[in-house]
């Protein structure tokens, strides 16, 4: 090797190591300068803007602290916290997490028991939100943000065929049949991905018929599965691929004219996509009642949080009337408090009203340790009965036994 | 006689169908990329419809402007680019001499070593990412470039060593011996004769490592907290449901891939060794 080449190689290596050492040093320097509260949330861009510009600065000023926000999706939070927990280096002080994904955090011992802070829950918090954070009698999560699926519909298409959004099962079947008849293809969709997305919808149908999803072979459950079996041939083929994400696409691209999804779809379809003809309502009732699954987010503190005291203060701050009112006004999120009023933007109002209406009939999912079994049983029963056409009663008996065994 | 007629017919069929097939398969590969670019520069009215048009009717830079001015692109781009480049540099520096040595080992030993290399790749990343992330966290490598580079090297080193062993194997030992007869030292023979002859293989290996690191997702997800890589940014937009920003980020993700592939393709020559032996 000649001298020139050796020097070049040496310089490249020196430069590389210089870059690397520079990259590793910055974080430590920053942490020495200021106390930092690391908050994990899963938000859209516009929501982050509100958090960073309107919500965080209030707490930062009051407590002389810098909030460092990190974006971690609900499904990734568990694995990330698990890695940090196992390494003994918890880097996150406080989390807000989807209430559909709490059981694993508790089972793996990743979150603090917050029972001693139960008194911090404000008087005016919607009472149904508290049990969502309870596991085995202990409180692990605080209420923060309620959420519920609303039913989106393409107003233009409904008007074109002279029909209205369904208010009960009979009308839902009629709407589905009308679209299929007029266009030759189903335009009503349910989420049929046979995972947590489908579970939410099955909970709603079963409860609407007066059944208990944890029993599964009661009269209500039989009615629900029987109805879904009847409805299935008239549904959009997209139903099999429709989840919380793709449902937005199907509605926006008009391959589906009617389908339920979480309200964030409003921003994607209406605000960003400009599809003003997509409206929403609170959904339909079953033979017994209206019922929706109470979703949303809760607040938790990871075990080993480096700033637990500050995290508790921040938790309290997020539940406060002022913060909740800001969340209503700036984000259009429904509040977890009954005394927090805000003014949503004009275009958001009809959707916000639909959310509020749906919340009135929403029920939380039960926090049971055998949740995975329930989830699988409900979806397997759906596949066998609704998609493959098997007998309703026999199939539900089979899966009811699976759930009953898991209960033991 | 019959067989030569058959061969002629086959030859004619190949001649006639070569370009149509070439165009057909090129289109199959290019159309998804075109749609990606199209969505990123189209107004919602062109895309969010039952029958979207193939050509761009209502052009807009809005999504690009939004992404370019969001302040989130450049840190992610810088991180992805730096990590991919450093991973490629380190991988080549480590794997080239290692592969050369392995290629010159006795056949049985070489076979065992190569099997050993593959053994490390038998486990899916998802399965081993957690224990690796735990170790890296203990070493304070969370959110650092070096952490991600090391994690990517775990994945890439066995793979490119295997590619390079194949490259060095086809370079005749006689070529080195000839150089040494002419007075070159072993190191000189390696640097001046073997490595230049192995350049196409090294280029392919570099390209692979760079692309794999650029697109890598699992380790980036575990080891990133504040600063995302570009694939994580795309994942973020997919999760948050923004069609147009997702398409824009995905397009941006493909641009350096095209540039790097174009820059390295000149080294990908098949007849490099023709007439090299004295």
């Amino acid at each position: 090797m000649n001298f020139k080449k050796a020097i070049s190689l040496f310089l490249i290596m020196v430069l590389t190591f210089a870059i690397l050492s520079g990259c590793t040093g910055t974080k430590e320097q920053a942490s020495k300068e200021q106390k930092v509260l690391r908050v994990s949330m899963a938000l859209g861009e516009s929501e982050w803007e509100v958090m960073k510009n309107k919500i965080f600065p209030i707490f930062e000023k009051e407590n002389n602290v810098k909030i460092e926000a990190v974006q971690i999706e609900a499904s990734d939070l568990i694995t990330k916290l698990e890695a940090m927990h196992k390494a003994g280096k918890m880097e996150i002080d406080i989390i807000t997490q989807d209430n559909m994904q709490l059981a694993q955090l508790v089972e793996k011992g990743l979150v603090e028991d917050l029972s001693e802070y139960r008194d911090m829950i404000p008087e005016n918090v919607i009472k149904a939100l508290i049990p969502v954070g309870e596991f085995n009698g202990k409180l692990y999560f605080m209420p923060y943000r309620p959420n519920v699926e609303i039913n989106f519909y393409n107003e233009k298409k409904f008007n074109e065929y002279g029909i209205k959004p369904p208010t009960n099962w009979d009308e839902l079947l009629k709407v589905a049949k009308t679209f299929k008849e007029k266009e030759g293809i189903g335009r009503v969709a349910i989420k049929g991905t046979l995972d947590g997305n489908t579970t939410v919808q099955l909970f709603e149908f079963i409860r609407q018929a007066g059944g208990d999803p944890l029993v599964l072979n009661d009269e209500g459950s039989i009615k629900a599965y029987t109805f879904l079996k009847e409805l299935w041939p008239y549904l959009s083929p997209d139903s099999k691929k429709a989840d919380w994400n793709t449902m937005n696409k199907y509605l926006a691209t008009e391959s589906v004219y009617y389908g339920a999804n979480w309200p964030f779809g409003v921003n994607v379809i209406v605000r960003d996509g400009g599809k003003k003809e997509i409206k929403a309502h609170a959904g339909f009732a079953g033979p017994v009642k209206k019922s929706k699954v109470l979703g949303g987010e809760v607040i938790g503190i990871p075990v080993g949080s480096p700033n637990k005291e500050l995290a508790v203060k921040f938790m309290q701050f997020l539940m406060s009337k002022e913060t909740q009112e800001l969340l209503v006004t700036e984000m259009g999120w429904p509040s977890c408090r009954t005394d927090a009023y805000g003014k949503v933007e004009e275009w958001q109002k009809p959707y916000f009203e639909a959310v509020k209406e749906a919340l009135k009939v929403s029920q939380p999912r039960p926090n049971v340790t055998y949740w995975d079994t329930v989830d699988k049983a409900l979806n397997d029963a759906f596949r066998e009965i609704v998609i493959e056409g098997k007998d309703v009663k026999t199939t539900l008996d089979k899966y009811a036994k699976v759930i009953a065994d898991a209960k033991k | 006689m019959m067989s030569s007629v058959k061969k002629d017919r086959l030859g004619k069929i190949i001649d006639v169908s070569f370009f149509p097939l070439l165009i057909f398969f090129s289109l199959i590969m290019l159309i998804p990329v075109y749609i990606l670019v199209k969505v990123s520069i189209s107004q919602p009215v062109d895309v969010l419809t039952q029958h979207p048009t193939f050509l761009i009717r209502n052009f807009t830079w809005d999504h690009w402007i939004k992404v370019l001015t969001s302040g989130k692109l450049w840190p992610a781009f810088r991180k992805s680019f730096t990590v991919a480049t450093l991973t490629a540099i380190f991988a080549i520096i480590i794997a080239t001499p290692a592969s050369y040595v392995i290629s010159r080992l006795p056949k049985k030993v070489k076979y065992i070593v190569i099997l050993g290399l593959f053994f490390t790749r038998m486990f899916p990343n998802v399965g081993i990412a957690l224990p690796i992330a735990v170790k890296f966290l203990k070493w304070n490598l969370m959110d650092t470039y070096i952490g991600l580079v090391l994690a990517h090297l775990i994945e890439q080193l066995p793979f490119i060593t295997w590619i390079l062993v194949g490259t060095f194997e086809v370079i005749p030992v006689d070529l080195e011996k000839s150089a040494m007869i002419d007075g070159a030292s072993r190191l000189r023979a390696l640097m001046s004769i073997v490595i230049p002859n192995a350049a196409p293989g090294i280029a392919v290996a570099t390209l692979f490592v760079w692309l794999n690191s650029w697109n890598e997702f699992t380790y980036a997800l575990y080891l990133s907290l504040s600063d995302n890589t570009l694939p994580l940014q795309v994942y973020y937009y997919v999760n948050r449901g923004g069609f147009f920003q997702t398409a824009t980020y995905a397009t941006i993700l493909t641009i350096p891939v095209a540039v790097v592939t174009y820059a390295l393709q000149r080294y990908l020559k098949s007849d490099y060794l023709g007439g090299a032996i004295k």
Side-chain angles (χ1 to χ4, degrees), chain B residues 20-258:
Chain B
L21 282 174
L22 186 71
I23 291 166
F24 176 73
F25 285 109
S26 301
L27 282 177
I28 282 181
M29 283 185 279
L30 288 174
I31 283 174
V33 180
Y34 167 72
I35 290 171
L36 196 68
V37 177
K38 188 208 162 200
V39 172
S40 79
I41 52 176
S42 294
Q43 286 184 14
V45 69
D46 274 7
V47 179
L48 302 180
T49 169
Q50 227 167 34
H51 305 290
T53 54
F54 185 73
L55 298 174
I56 301 157
R57 287 206 177 152
N58 295 289
F59 178 86
T60 178
W61 282 116
D62 283 359
H63 318 306
W64 278 78
I65 291 167
K66 215 171 174 182
V67 166
L68 292 173
T69 56
S70 69
K72 287 180 181 165
L73 172 68
W74 299 116
F77 187 92
R78 193 168 53 236
K79 186 170 184 179
S80 282
F81 191 83
T82 311
V83 168
T85 308
L86 290 177
T87 305
I89 291 171
F90 279 116
I92 292 301
I93 289 173
I94 297 166
T96 305
S99 313
Y100 170 71
V101 172
I102 295 168
S103 72
R104 297 301 185 241
L105 287 172
K107 211 172 179 182
K108 280 183 181 170
V109 181
K110 184 165 58 183
Y111 180 66
I112 292 167
V113 173
I114 290 174
L115 272 186
L117 285 175
F118 275 114
F119 181 75
T120 63
R121 298 299 310 129
M122 280 169 65
F123 311 101
N125 279 344
V126 181
I128 57 170
L130 179 64
I132 287 170
V134 170
K135 195 54 101 183
F136 278 31
L137 278 164
K138 282 183 181 166
W139 293 340
N140 283 328
L141 292 175
M142 181 74 147
D143 248 354
T144 62
Y145 287 10
I146 190 167
L148 213 46
V149 170
L150 288 174
H152 287 182
L153 283 174
I154 294 170
E155 201 183 358
Q156 300 306 321
L157 272 177
F159 184 57
I160 75 148
T161 305
W162 172 65
I163 292 181
L164 289 177
V165 166
T167 305
F168 286 120
E169 264 179 345
V170 295
I171 298 171
V173 182
D174 289 346
L175 207 58
E176 283 169 69
K177 284 182 181 168
S178 302
M180 285 156 83
I181 288 167
D182 288 347
S185 65
R186 192 172 186 88
L187 193 63
R188 179 67 193 263
L190 177 69
M191 297 305 290
S192 304
I193 305 294
V194 181
I195 290 186
N197 275 304
I202 294 173
V204 171
T206 311
L207 191 65
F208 266 120
V209 175
W210 196 92
L211 293 178
N212 286 344
S213 175
W214 176 257
N215 289 320
E216 201 280 333
F217 181 78
T218 312
Y219 287 111
L221 184 65
Y222 271 101
L223 296 171
S224 303
L225 206 54
S226 306
D227 302 322
N228 277 347
T229 58
L230 264 187
L232 289 181
Q233 278 297 101
V234 175
Y235 172 64
Y236 168 69
Y237 282 105
V238 168
N239 266 312
R240 292 291 122 197
F243 310 116
F244 302 99
Q245 277 157 304
T246 308
T248 309
Y249 266 101
T251 307
I252 292 167
L253 192 67
T254 60
I255 293 171
V257 175

Side-chain angles (χ1 to χ4, degrees), chain A residues 143-157:
Chain A
Y144 167 51
R145 174 196 174 191
N147 206 359
V148 67
E149 284 197 343
I150 49 176
N151 293 48
F152 291 94
Y153 63 96
N154 189 320
E155 191 181 48
K156 213 162 72 183
K157 296 291 178 185

Side-chain angles (χ1 to χ4, degrees), chain A residues 6 64 168 233 256 284 315 340 347 404:
Chain A
N64 190 28
N168 56 47
V256 166
F284 42 79
M315 187 169 76
W347 73 271

